[in-house]
PDB file of all heavy atoms in Angstrom:
ATOM      1  N   GLN A1045     131.733 101.417  78.097  1.00 98.00           N
ATOM      2  CA  GLN A1045     131.750 102.828  77.692  1.00 98.00           C
ATOM      3  C   GLN A1045     131.894 103.746  78.908  1.00 98.00           C
ATOM      4  O   GLN A1045     132.575 104.777  78.853  1.00 98.00           O
ATOM      5  CB  GLN A1045     130.475 103.166  76.912  1.00 98.00           C
ATOM      6  CG  GLN A1045     130.310 102.423  75.601  1.00 98.00           C
ATOM      7  CD  GLN A1045     131.448 102.694  74.622  1.00 98.00           C
ATOM      8  OE1 GLN A1045     132.014 103.794  74.598  1.00 98.00           O
ATOM      9  NE2 GLN A1045     131.787 101.696  73.818  1.00 98.00           N
ATOM     10  N   LEU A1046     131.255 103.354  80.013  1.00 98.00           N
ATOM     11  CA  LEU A1046     131.351 104.137  81.241  1.00 98.00           C
ATOM     12  C   LEU A1046     132.784 104.096  81.780  1.00 98.00           C
ATOM     13  O   LEU A1046     133.322 105.108  82.232  1.00 98.00           O
ATOM     14  CB  LEU A1046     130.373 103.595  82.280  1.00 98.00           C
ATOM     15  CG  LEU A1046     130.136 104.455  83.514  1.00 98.00           C
ATOM     16  CD1 LEU A1046     129.479 105.768  83.147  1.00 98.00           C
ATOM     17  CD2 LEU A1046     129.280 103.696  84.527  1.00 98.00           C
ATOM     18  N   GLY A1047     133.394 102.919  81.711  1.00 98.00           N
ATOM     19  CA  GLY A1047     134.779 102.785  82.143  1.00 98.00           C
ATOM     20  C   GLY A1047     135.717 103.660  81.331  1.00 98.00           C
ATOM     21  O   GLY A1047     136.664 104.254  81.875  1.00 98.00           O
ATOM     22  N   LYS A1048     135.445 103.777  80.039  1.00 98.00           N
ATOM     23  CA  LYS A1048     136.271 104.627  79.179  1.00 98.00           C
ATOM     24  C   LYS A1048     136.157 106.102  79.579  1.00 98.00           C
ATOM     25  O   LYS A1048     137.135 106.849  79.548  1.00 98.00           O
ATOM     26  CB  LYS A1048     135.869 104.431  77.715  1.00 98.00           C
ATOM     27  CG  LYS A1048     136.291 103.088  77.133  1.00 98.00           C
ATOM     28  CD  LYS A1048     135.872 102.926  75.688  1.00 98.00           C
ATOM     29  CE  LYS A1048     136.605 103.877  74.755  1.00 98.00           C
ATOM     30  NZ  LYS A1048     136.275 103.642  73.332  1.00 98.00           N
ATOM     31  N   ILE A1049     134.942 106.515  79.966  1.00 98.00           N
ATOM     32  CA  ILE A1049     134.743 107.890  80.433  1.00 98.00           C
ATOM     33  C   ILE A1049     135.606 108.150  81.664  1.00 98.00           C
ATOM     34  O   ILE A1049     136.271 109.194  81.785  1.00 98.00           O
ATOM     35  CB  ILE A1049     133.253 108.150  80.744  1.00 98.00           C
ATOM     36  CG1 ILE A1049     132.437 108.231  79.449  1.00 98.00           C
ATOM     37  CG2 ILE A1049     133.078 109.431  81.563  1.00 98.00           C
ATOM     38  CD1 ILE A1049     130.940 108.294  79.660  1.00 98.00           C
ATOM     39  N   LEU A1050     135.624 107.185  82.601  1.00 98.00           N
ATOM     40  CA  LEU A1050     136.412 107.355  83.819  1.00 98.00           C
ATOM     41  C   LEU A1050     137.909 107.361  83.510  1.00 98.00           C
ATOM     42  O   LEU A1050     138.657 108.179  84.067  1.00 98.00           O
ATOM     43  CB  LEU A1050     136.086 106.247  84.820  1.00 98.00           C
ATOM     44  CG  LEU A1050     136.848 106.326  86.147  1.00 98.00           C
ATOM     45  CD1 LEU A1050     136.580 107.644  86.863  1.00 98.00           C
ATOM     46  CD2 LEU A1050     136.486 105.143  87.037  1.00 98.00           C
ATOM     47  N   VAL A1051     138.337 106.457  82.646  1.00 98.00           N
ATOM     48  CA  VAL A1051     139.757 106.400  82.278  1.00 98.00           C
ATOM     49  C   VAL A1051     140.219 107.736  81.704  1.00 98.00           C
ATOM     50  O   VAL A1051     141.276 108.267  82.080  1.00 98.00           O
ATOM     51  CB  VAL A1051     140.020 105.265  81.263  1.00 98.00           C
ATOM     52  CG1 VAL A1051     141.414 105.400  80.647  1.00 98.00           C
ATOM     53  CG2 VAL A1051     139.877 103.899  81.937  1.00 98.00           C
ATOM     54  N   GLU A1052     139.427 108.297  80.807  1.00 98.00           N
ATOM     55  CA  GLU A1052     139.782 109.581  80.187  1.00 98.00           C
ATOM     56  C   GLU A1052     139.868 110.688  81.231  1.00 98.00           C
ATOM     57  O   GLU A1052     140.759 111.546  81.176  1.00 98.00           O
ATOM     58  CB  GLU A1052     138.751 109.940  79.113  1.00 98.00           C
ATOM     59  CG  GLU A1052     138.830 109.066  77.872  1.00 98.00           C
ATOM     60  CD  GLU A1052     137.729 109.376  76.871  1.00 98.00           C
ATOM     61  OE1 GLU A1052     136.973 110.348  77.114  1.00 98.00           O
ATOM     62  OE2 GLU A1052     137.621 108.649  75.861  1.00 98.00           O
ATOM     63  N   GLU A1053     138.953 110.672  82.200  1.00 98.00           N
ATOM     64  CA  GLU A1053     138.969 111.695  83.251  1.00 98.00           C
ATOM     65  C   GLU A1053     140.193 111.539  84.148  1.00 98.00           C
ATOM     66  O   GLU A1053     140.842 112.538  84.518  1.00 98.00           O
ATOM     67  CB  GLU A1053     137.684 111.619  84.076  1.00 98.00           C
ATOM     68  CG  GLU A1053     137.537 112.698  85.128  1.00 98.00           C
ATOM     69  CD  GLU A1053     137.406 114.102  84.550  1.00 98.00           C
ATOM     70  OE1 GLU A1053     136.945 114.242  83.392  1.00 98.00           O
ATOM     71  OE2 GLU A1053     137.762 115.066  85.262  1.00 98.00           O
ATOM     72  N   LEU A1054     140.518 110.317  84.517  1.00 98.00           N
ATOM     73  CA  LEU A1054     141.695 110.075  85.364  1.00 98.00           C
ATOM     74  C   LEU A1054     142.978 110.488  84.645  1.00 98.00           C
ATOM     75  O   LEU A1054     143.879 111.097  85.244  1.00 98.00           O
ATOM     76  CB  LEU A1054     141.754 108.596  85.771  1.00 98.00           C
ATOM     77  CG  LEU A1054     140.665 108.116  86.748  1.00 98.00           C
ATOM     78  CD1 LEU A1054     140.733 106.601  86.912  1.00 98.00           C
ATOM     79  CD2 LEU A1054     140.811 108.798  88.101  1.00 98.00           C
ATOM     80  N   GLN A1055     143.052 110.156  83.372  1.00 98.00           N
ATOM     81  CA  GLN A1055     144.233 110.522  82.589  1.00 98.00           C
ATOM     82  C   GLN A1055     144.347 112.038  82.451  1.00 98.00           C
ATOM     83  O   GLN A1055     145.448 112.597  82.550  1.00 98.00           O
ATOM     84  CB  GLN A1055     144.175 109.850  81.213  1.00 98.00           C
ATOM     85  CG  GLN A1055     144.374 108.344  81.247  1.00 98.00           C
ATOM     86  CD  GLN A1055     144.167 107.680  79.902  1.00 98.00           C
ATOM     87  OE1 GLN A1055     143.541 108.253  79.007  1.00 98.00           O
ATOM     88  NE2 GLN A1055     144.657 106.448  79.753  1.00 98.00           N
ATOM     89  N   ALA A1056     143.227 112.708  82.236  1.00 97.00           N
ATOM     90  CA  ALA A1056     143.236 114.164  82.082  1.00 97.00           C
ATOM     91  C   ALA A1056     143.706 114.855  83.361  1.00 97.00           C
ATOM     92  O   ALA A1056     144.309 115.932  83.311  1.00 97.00           O
ATOM     93  CB  ALA A1056     141.841 114.656  81.702  1.00 97.00           C
ATOM     94  N   ARG A1057     143.447 114.221  84.519  1.00 97.00           N
ATOM     95  CA  ARG A1057     143.851 114.795  85.803  1.00 97.00           C
ATOM     96  C   ARG A1057     145.253 114.351  86.220  1.00 97.00           C
ATOM     97  O   ARG A1057     145.742 114.759  87.282  1.00 97.00           O
ATOM     98  CB  ARG A1057     142.849 114.402  86.887  1.00 97.00           C
ATOM     99  CG  ARG A1057     141.471 115.049  86.731  1.00 97.00           C
ATOM    100  CD  ARG A1057     140.478 114.455  87.719  1.00 97.00           C
ATOM    101  NE  ARG A1057     139.180 115.092  87.615  1.00 97.00           N
ATOM    102  CZ  ARG A1057     138.661 115.925  88.525  1.00 97.00           C
ATOM    103  NH1 ARG A1057     139.373 116.235  89.613  1.00 97.00           N
ATOM    104  NH2 ARG A1057     137.463 116.438  88.369  1.00 97.00           N
ATOM    105  N   GLY A1058     145.863 113.483  85.427  1.00 98.00           N
ATOM    106  CA  GLY A1058     147.176 112.960  85.794  1.00 98.00           C
ATOM    107  C   GLY A1058     147.118 111.959  86.929  1.00 98.00           C
ATOM    108  O   GLY A1058     148.078 111.810  87.692  1.00 98.00           O
ATOM    109  N   TRP A1059     145.999 111.242  87.029  1.00 98.00           N
ATOM    110  CA  TRP A1059     145.792 110.283  88.119  1.00 98.00           C
ATOM    111  C   TRP A1059     145.836 108.833  87.632  1.00 98.00           C
ATOM    112  O   TRP A1059     145.247 107.938  88.246  1.00 98.00           O
ATOM    113  CB  TRP A1059     144.435 110.528  88.795  1.00 98.00           C
ATOM    114  CG  TRP A1059     144.353 111.825  89.532  1.00 98.00           C
ATOM    115  CD1 TRP A1059     145.347 112.721  89.766  1.00 98.00           C
ATOM    116  CD2 TRP A1059     143.169 112.371  90.139  1.00 98.00           C
ATOM    117  NE1 TRP A1059     144.890 113.792  90.480  1.00 98.00           N
ATOM    118  CE2 TRP A1059     143.548 113.615  90.730  1.00 98.00           C
ATOM    119  CE3 TRP A1059     141.849 111.942  90.251  1.00 98.00           C
ATOM    120  CZ2 TRP A1059     142.637 114.426  91.407  1.00 98.00           C
ATOM    121  CZ3 TRP A1059     140.944 112.750  90.919  1.00 98.00           C
ATOM    122  CH2 TRP A1059     141.334 113.974  91.493  1.00 98.00           C
ATOM    123  N   SER A1060     146.532 108.563  86.576  1.00 97.00           N
ATOM    124  CA  SER A1060     146.544 107.218  85.984  1.00 97.00           C
ATOM    125  C   SER A1060     147.141 106.164  86.907  1.00 97.00           C
ATOM    126  O   SER A1060     146.922 104.958  86.710  1.00 97.00           O
ATOM    127  CB  SER A1060     147.321 107.227  84.663  1.00 97.00           C
ATOM    128  OG  SER A1060     146.682 108.054  83.716  1.00 97.00           O
ATOM    129  N   ASP A1061     147.906 106.608  87.908  1.00 97.00           N
ATOM    130  CA  ASP A1061     148.517 105.642  88.825  1.00 97.00           C
ATOM    131  C   ASP A1061     147.621 105.346  90.026  1.00 97.00           C
ATOM    132  O   ASP A1061     147.981 104.568  90.909  1.00 97.00           O
ATOM    133  CB  ASP A1061     149.868 106.162  89.313  1.00 97.00           C
ATOM    134  CG  ASP A1061     149.763 107.531  89.980  1.00 97.00           C
ATOM    135  OD1 ASP A1061     148.711 108.193  89.813  1.00 97.00           O
ATOM    136  OD2 ASP A1061     150.731 107.931  90.657  1.00 97.00           O
ATOM    137  N   GLY A1062     146.423 105.958  90.066  1.00 98.00           N
ATOM    138  CA  GLY A1062     145.501 105.715  91.171  1.00 98.00           C
ATOM    139  C   GLY A1062     144.650 104.479  90.949  1.00 98.00           C
ATOM    140  O   GLY A1062     144.610 103.909  89.859  1.00 98.00           O
ATOM    141  N   ARG A1063     143.980 104.059  92.007  1.00 98.00           N
ATOM    142  CA  ARG A1063     143.117 102.867  91.937  1.00 98.00           C
ATOM    143  C   ARG A1063     141.636 103.246  91.936  1.00 98.00           C
ATOM    144  O   ARG A1063     141.256 104.325  92.385  1.00 98.00           O
ATOM    145  CB  ARG A1063     143.394 101.927  93.118  1.00 98.00           C
ATOM    146  CG  ARG A1063     144.782 101.296  93.092  1.00 98.00           C
ATOM    147  CD  ARG A1063     144.985 100.349  94.253  1.00 98.00           C
ATOM    148  NE  ARG A1063     146.333  99.802  94.239  1.00 98.00           N
ATOM    149  CZ  ARG A1063     146.668  98.694  93.579  1.00 98.00           C
ATOM    150  NH1 ARG A1063     145.743  98.005  92.923  1.00 98.00           N
ATOM    151  NH2 ARG A1063     147.910  98.247  93.598  1.00 98.00           N
ATOM    152  N   VAL A1064     140.834 102.300  91.462  1.00 98.00           N
ATOM    153  CA  VAL A1064     139.383 102.471  91.422  1.00 98.00           C
ATOM    154  C   VAL A1064     138.736 101.385  92.277  1.00 98.00           C
ATOM    155  O   VAL A1064     138.972 100.194  92.057  1.00 98.00           O
ATOM    156  CB  VAL A1064     138.842 102.381  89.979  1.00 98.00           C
ATOM    157  CG1 VAL A1064     137.313 102.498  89.972  1.00 98.00           C
ATOM    158  CG2 VAL A1064     139.462 103.458  89.102  1.00 98.00           C
ATOM    159  N   GLY A1065     137.931 101.787  93.252  1.00 98.00           N
ATOM    160  CA  GLY A1065     137.193 100.833  94.075  1.00 98.00           C
ATOM    161  C   GLY A1065     135.799 100.605  93.506  1.00 98.00           C
ATOM    162  O   GLY A1065     135.215 101.511  92.913  1.00 98.00           O
ATOM    163  N   ILE A1066     135.286  99.398  93.697  1.00 98.00           N
ATOM    164  CA  ILE A1066     133.986  99.040  93.108  1.00 98.00           C
ATOM    165  C   ILE A1066     133.013  98.594  94.197  1.00 98.00           C
ATOM    166  O   ILE A1066     133.312  97.698  94.988  1.00 98.00           O
ATOM    167  CB  ILE A1066     134.138  97.917  92.061  1.00 98.00           C
ATOM    168  CG1 ILE A1066     135.090  98.359  90.952  1.00 98.00           C
ATOM    169  CG2 ILE A1066     132.770  97.527  91.486  1.00 98.00           C
ATOM    170  CD1 ILE A1066     135.425  97.253  89.951  1.00 98.00           C
ATOM    171  N   ILE A1067     131.864  99.236  94.242  1.00 98.00           N
ATOM    172  CA  ILE A1067     130.755  98.807  95.092  1.00 98.00           C
ATOM    173  C   ILE A1067     129.705  98.244  94.141  1.00 98.00           C
ATOM    174  O   ILE A1067     129.029  98.988  93.428  1.00 98.00           O
ATOM    175  CB  ILE A1067     130.201  99.974  95.925  1.00 98.00           C
ATOM    176  CG1 ILE A1067     131.318 100.566  96.808  1.00 98.00           C
ATOM    177  CG2 ILE A1067     129.036  99.501  96.792  1.00 98.00           C
ATOM    178  CD1 ILE A1067     130.910 101.823  97.554  1.00 98.00           C
ATOM    179  N   ALA A1068     129.608  96.917  94.113  1.00 97.00           N
ATOM    180  CA  ALA A1068     128.871  96.219  93.060  1.00 97.00           C
ATOM    181  C   ALA A1068     127.514  95.720  93.533  1.00 97.00           C
ATOM    182  O   ALA A1068     127.291  95.491  94.726  1.00 97.00           O
ATOM    183  CB  ALA A1068     129.695  95.036  92.554  1.00 97.00           C
ATOM    184  N   ILE A1069     126.619  95.543  92.575  1.00 93.00           N
ATOM    185  CA  ILE A1069     125.401  94.788  92.842  1.00 93.00           C
ATOM    186  C   ILE A1069     125.807  93.316  92.966  1.00 93.00           C
ATOM    187  O   ILE A1069     126.932  92.949  92.592  1.00 93.00           O
ATOM    188  CB  ILE A1069     124.338  94.997  91.736  1.00 93.00           C
ATOM    189  CG1 ILE A1069     124.844  94.467  90.383  1.00 93.00           C
ATOM    190  CG2 ILE A1069     123.958  96.466  91.643  1.00 93.00           C
ATOM    191  CD1 ILE A1069     123.801  94.538  89.278  1.00 93.00           C
ATOM    192  N   PRO A1070     124.957  92.431  93.484  1.00 91.00           N
ATOM    193  CA  PRO A1070     125.351  91.027  93.653  1.00 91.00           C
ATOM    194  C   PRO A1070     125.875  90.403  92.357  1.00 91.00           C
ATOM    195  O   PRO A1070     125.237  90.512  91.312  1.00 91.00           O
ATOM    196  CB  PRO A1070     124.058  90.359  94.117  1.00 91.00           C
ATOM    197  CG  PRO A1070     123.306  91.448  94.805  1.00 91.00           C
ATOM    198  CD  PRO A1070     123.600  92.688  94.009  1.00 91.00           C
ATOM    199  N   GLN A1071     127.016  89.753  92.453  1.00 91.00           N
ATOM    200  CA  GLN A1071     127.626  89.167  91.268  1.00 91.00           C
ATOM    201  C   GLN A1071     127.023  87.823  90.889  1.00 91.00           C
ATOM    202  O   GLN A1071     127.400  87.229  89.875  1.00 91.00           O
ATOM    203  CB  GLN A1071     129.137  89.046  91.474  1.00 91.00           C
ATOM    204  CG  GLN A1071     129.833  90.395  91.640  1.00 91.00           C
ATOM    205  CD  GLN A1071     129.711  91.284  90.415  1.00 91.00           C
ATOM    206  OE1 GLN A1071     130.355  91.052  89.398  1.00 91.00           O
ATOM    207  NE2 GLN A1071     128.867  92.313  90.493  1.00 91.00           N
ATOM    208  N   ARG A1072     126.078  87.337  91.686  1.00 84.00           N
ATOM    209  CA  ARG A1072     125.321  86.146  91.271  1.00 84.00           C
ATOM    210  C   ARG A1072     124.292  86.528  90.203  1.00 84.00           C
ATOM    211  O   ARG A1072     123.734  85.659  89.532  1.00 84.00           O
ATOM    212  CB  ARG A1072     124.634  85.484  92.460  1.00 84.00           C
ATOM    213  CG  ARG A1072     123.545  86.327  93.121  1.00 84.00           C
ATOM    214  CD  ARG A1072     122.926  85.602  94.310  1.00 84.00           C
ATOM    215  NE  ARG A1072     121.915  86.410  94.978  1.00 84.00           N
ATOM    216  CZ  ARG A1072     122.172  87.295  95.927  1.00 84.00           C
ATOM    217  NH1 ARG A1072     123.412  87.487  96.324  1.00 84.00           N
ATOM    218  NH2 ARG A1072     121.196  87.984  96.505  1.00 84.00           N
ATOM    219  N   ARG A1073     124.030  87.823  90.090  1.00 82.00           N
ATOM    220  CA  ARG A1073     123.146  88.303  89.030  1.00 82.00           C
ATOM    221  C   ARG A1073     123.928  88.378  87.726  1.00 82.00           C
ATOM    222  O   ARG A1073     125.062  88.872  87.696  1.00 82.00           O
ATOM    223  CB  ARG A1073     122.599  89.694  89.354  1.00 82.00           C
ATOM    224  CG  ARG A1073     121.643  89.768  90.522  1.00 82.00           C
ATOM    225  CD  ARG A1073     121.146  91.209  90.674  1.00 82.00           C
ATOM    226  NE  ARG A1073     120.201  91.348  91.759  1.00 82.00           N
ATOM    227  CZ  ARG A1073     119.628  92.509  92.091  1.00 82.00           C
ATOM    228  NH1 ARG A1073     119.935  93.605  91.400  1.00 82.00           N
ATOM    229  NH2 ARG A1073     118.775  92.579  93.087  1.00 82.00           N
ATOM    230  N   LYS A1074     123.310  87.934  86.675  1.00 81.00           N
ATOM    231  CA  LYS A1074     123.966  87.971  85.370  1.00 81.00           C
ATOM    232  C   LYS A1074     124.335  89.400  84.984  1.00 81.00           C
ATOM    233  O   LYS A1074     125.434  89.656  84.466  1.00 81.00           O
ATOM    234  CB  LYS A1074     123.046  87.360  84.310  1.00 81.00           C
ATOM    235  CG  LYS A1074     123.646  87.286  82.928  1.00 81.00           C
ATOM    236  CD  LYS A1074     122.664  86.679  81.941  1.00 81.00           C
ATOM    237  CE  LYS A1074     123.230  86.685  80.537  1.00 81.00           C
ATOM    238  NZ  LYS A1074     122.258  86.171  79.546  1.00 81.00           N
ATOM    239  N   ASN A1075     123.439  90.342  85.248  1.00 85.00           N
ATOM    240  CA  ASN A1075     123.725  91.723  84.857  1.00 85.00           C
ATOM    241  C   ASN A1075     124.885  92.299  85.668  1.00 85.00           C
ATOM    242  O   ASN A1075     125.664  93.119  85.165  1.00 85.00           O
ATOM    243  CB  ASN A1075     122.476  92.603  84.971  1.00 85.00           C
ATOM    244  CG  ASN A1075     121.916  92.680  86.379  1.00 85.00           C
ATOM    245  OD1 ASN A1075     122.172  91.815  87.221  1.00 85.00           O
ATOM    246  ND2 ASN A1075     121.138  93.706  86.652  1.00 85.00           N
ATOM    247  N   GLY A1076     125.036  91.853  86.903  1.00 90.00           N
ATOM    248  CA  GLY A1076     126.159  92.303  87.716  1.00 90.00           C
ATOM    249  C   GLY A1076     127.489  91.826  87.156  1.00 90.00           C
ATOM    250  O   GLY A1076     128.464  92.588  87.093  1.00 90.00           O
ATOM    251  N   LYS A1077     127.529  90.577  86.746  1.00 93.00           N
ATOM    252  CA  LYS A1077     128.761  90.027  86.158  1.00 93.00           C
ATOM    253  C   LYS A1077     129.128  90.772  84.873  1.00 93.00           C
ATOM    254  O   LYS A1077     130.298  91.068  84.622  1.00 93.00           O
ATOM    255  CB  LYS A1077     128.568  88.540  85.850  1.00 93.00           C
ATOM    256  CG  LYS A1077     128.440  87.656  87.078  1.00 93.00           C
ATOM    257  CD  LYS A1077     128.197  86.214  86.670  1.00 93.00           C
ATOM    258  CE  LYS A1077     128.007  85.325  87.891  1.00 93.00           C
ATOM    259  NZ  LYS A1077     127.690  83.922  87.503  1.00 93.00           N
ATOM    260  N   LEU A1078     128.134  91.065  84.059  1.00 94.00           N
ATOM    261  CA  LEU A1078     128.398  91.753  82.788  1.00 94.00           C
ATOM    262  C   LEU A1078     128.894  93.174  83.018  1.00 94.00           C
ATOM    263  O   LEU A1078     129.792  93.651  82.311  1.00 94.00           O
ATOM    264  CB  LEU A1078     127.138  91.756  81.923  1.00 94.00           C
ATOM    265  CG  LEU A1078     126.708  90.396  81.364  1.00 94.00           C
ATOM    266  CD1 LEU A1078     125.341  90.491  80.702  1.00 94.00           C
ATOM    267  CD2 LEU A1078     127.739  89.866  80.368  1.00 94.00           C
ATOM    268  N   ARG A1079     128.325  93.853  83.997  1.00 96.00           N
ATOM    269  CA  ARG A1079     128.769  95.212  84.295  1.00 96.00           C
ATOM    270  C   ARG A1079     130.233  95.207  84.741  1.00 96.00           C
ATOM    271  O   ARG A1079     131.037  96.018  84.286  1.00 96.00           O
ATOM    272  CB  ARG A1079     127.904  95.829  85.409  1.00 96.00           C
ATOM    273  CG  ARG A1079     126.521  96.201  84.954  1.00 96.00           C
ATOM    274  CD  ARG A1079     125.711  96.812  86.092  1.00 96.00           C
ATOM    275  NE  ARG A1079     124.291  96.776  85.766  1.00 96.00           N
ATOM    276  CZ  ARG A1079     123.328  97.194  86.561  1.00 96.00           C
ATOM    277  NH1 ARG A1079     123.625  97.685  87.753  1.00 96.00           N
ATOM    278  NH2 ARG A1079     122.063  97.117  86.194  1.00 96.00           N
ATOM    279  N   THR A1080     130.556  94.292  85.626  1.00 98.00           N
ATOM    280  CA  THR A1080     131.930  94.208  86.122  1.00 98.00           C
ATOM    281  C   THR A1080     132.895  93.887  84.994  1.00 98.00           C
ATOM    282  O   THR A1080     133.959  94.517  84.867  1.00 98.00           O
ATOM    283  CB  THR A1080     132.029  93.143  87.228  1.00 98.00           C
ATOM    284  OG1 THR A1080     131.142  93.494  88.294  1.00 98.00           O
ATOM    285  CG2 THR A1080     133.443  93.045  87.766  1.00 98.00           C
ATOM    286  N   SER A1081     132.521  92.943  84.155  1.00 98.00           N
ATOM    287  CA  SER A1081     133.390  92.528  83.048  1.00 98.00           C
ATOM    288  C   SER A1081     133.676  93.674  82.090  1.00 98.00           C
ATOM    289  O   SER A1081     134.830  93.933  81.718  1.00 98.00           O
ATOM    290  CB  SER A1081     132.736  91.366  82.297  1.00 98.00           C
ATOM    291  OG  SER A1081     133.463  91.047  81.134  1.00 98.00           O
ATOM    292  N   GLY A1082     132.637  94.398  81.678  1.00 98.00           N
ATOM    293  CA  GLY A1082     132.816  95.493  80.731  1.00 98.00           C
ATOM    294  C   GLY A1082     133.639  96.625  81.313  1.00 98.00           C
ATOM    295  O   GLY A1082     134.524  97.182  80.649  1.00 98.00           O
ATOM    296  N   PHE A1083     133.368  96.975  82.564  1.00 98.00           N
ATOM    297  CA  PHE A1083     134.070  98.075  83.216  1.00 98.00           C
ATOM    298  C   PHE A1083     135.556  97.750  83.399  1.00 98.00           C
ATOM    299  O   PHE A1083     136.429  98.574  83.115  1.00 98.00           O
ATOM    300  CB  PHE A1083     133.416  98.351  84.569  1.00 98.00           C
ATOM    301  CG  PHE A1083     133.873  99.612  85.238  1.00 98.00           C
ATOM    302  CD1 PHE A1083     133.385 100.840  84.840  1.00 98.00           C
ATOM    303  CD2 PHE A1083     134.776  99.567  86.293  1.00 98.00           C
ATOM    304  CE1 PHE A1083     133.794 102.015  85.466  1.00 98.00           C
ATOM    305  CE2 PHE A1083     135.195 100.728  86.918  1.00 98.00           C
ATOM    306  CZ  PHE A1083     134.702 101.958  86.511  1.00 98.00           C
ATOM    307  N   LEU A1084     135.829  96.533  83.873  1.00 98.00           N
ATOM    308  CA  LEU A1084     137.220  96.125  84.091  1.00 98.00           C
ATOM    309  C   LEU A1084     138.002  96.081  82.780  1.00 98.00           C
ATOM    310  O   LEU A1084     139.203  96.380  82.756  1.00 98.00           O
ATOM    311  CB  LEU A1084     137.280  94.769  84.785  1.00 98.00           C
ATOM    312  CG  LEU A1084     136.787  94.728  86.237  1.00 98.00           C
ATOM    313  CD1 LEU A1084     136.949  93.331  86.809  1.00 98.00           C
ATOM    314  CD2 LEU A1084     137.532  95.739  87.097  1.00 98.00           C
ATOM    315  N   GLN A1085     137.329  95.715  81.695  1.00 98.00           N
ATOM    316  CA  GLN A1085     137.996  95.708  80.389  1.00 98.00           C
ATOM    317  C   GLN A1085     138.482  97.107  80.023  1.00 98.00           C
ATOM    318  O   GLN A1085     139.610  97.294  79.564  1.00 98.00           O
ATOM    319  CB  GLN A1085     137.053  95.180  79.310  1.00 98.00           C
ATOM    320  CG  GLN A1085     137.696  95.129  77.920  1.00 98.00           C
ATOM    321  CD  GLN A1085     136.718  94.737  76.824  1.00 98.00           C
ATOM    322  OE1 GLN A1085     135.613  94.258  77.098  1.00 98.00           O
ATOM    323  NE2 GLN A1085     137.105  94.956  75.581  1.00 98.00           N
ATOM    324  N   ALA A1086     137.627  98.102  80.247  1.00 98.00           N
ATOM    325  CA  ALA A1086     138.001  99.477  79.923  1.00 98.00           C
ATOM    326  C   ALA A1086     139.158  99.962  80.802  1.00 98.00           C
ATOM    327  O   ALA A1086     140.082 100.628  80.318  1.00 98.00           O
ATOM    328  CB  ALA A1086     136.795 100.402  80.095  1.00 98.00           C
ATOM    329  N   LEU A1087     139.113  99.621  82.097  1.00 98.00           N
ATOM    330  CA  LEU A1087     140.191 100.038  82.992  1.00 98.00           C
ATOM    331  C   LEU A1087     141.509  99.375  82.606  1.00 98.00           C
ATOM    332  O   LEU A1087     142.570 100.024  82.614  1.00 98.00           O
ATOM    333  CB  LEU A1087     139.845  99.679  84.445  1.00 98.00           C
ATOM    334  CG  LEU A1087     138.666 100.390  85.109  1.00 98.00           C
ATOM    335  CD1 LEU A1087     138.687 100.133  86.613  1.00 98.00           C
ATOM    336  CD2 LEU A1087     138.667 101.884  84.844  1.00 98.00           C
TER     337      LEU A1087
END
């Protein structure tokens, strides 16, 4: 859902061709993997 908010904002600004960088919590954590998976799906 958070990723969808960002996508809508980027599209509204005409920045759909830009990239998104991610500063993540450790991906060995289950919650970290789930956050990355959900966000990337929206993007």
Side-chain angles (χ1 to χ4, degrees):
Q1045 296 300 327
L1046 192 65
K1048 288 180 67 175
I1049 288 172
L1050 180 59
V1051 167
E1052 289 176 5
E1053 184 65 26
L1054 291 172
Q1055 290 174 341
R1057 291 172 178 251
W1059 293 353
S1060 297
D1061 56 345
R1063 293 182 182 271
V1064 177
I1066 301 174
I1067 301 174
I1069 63 175
Q1071 296 297 286
R1072 65 181 178 274
R1073 292 182 179 180
K1074 183 180 176 183
N1075 61 339
K1077 292 178 182 177
L1078 291 171
R1079 287 180 198 178
T1080 301
S1081 173
F1083 191 78
L1084 292 182
Q1085 181 186 346
L1087 294 193

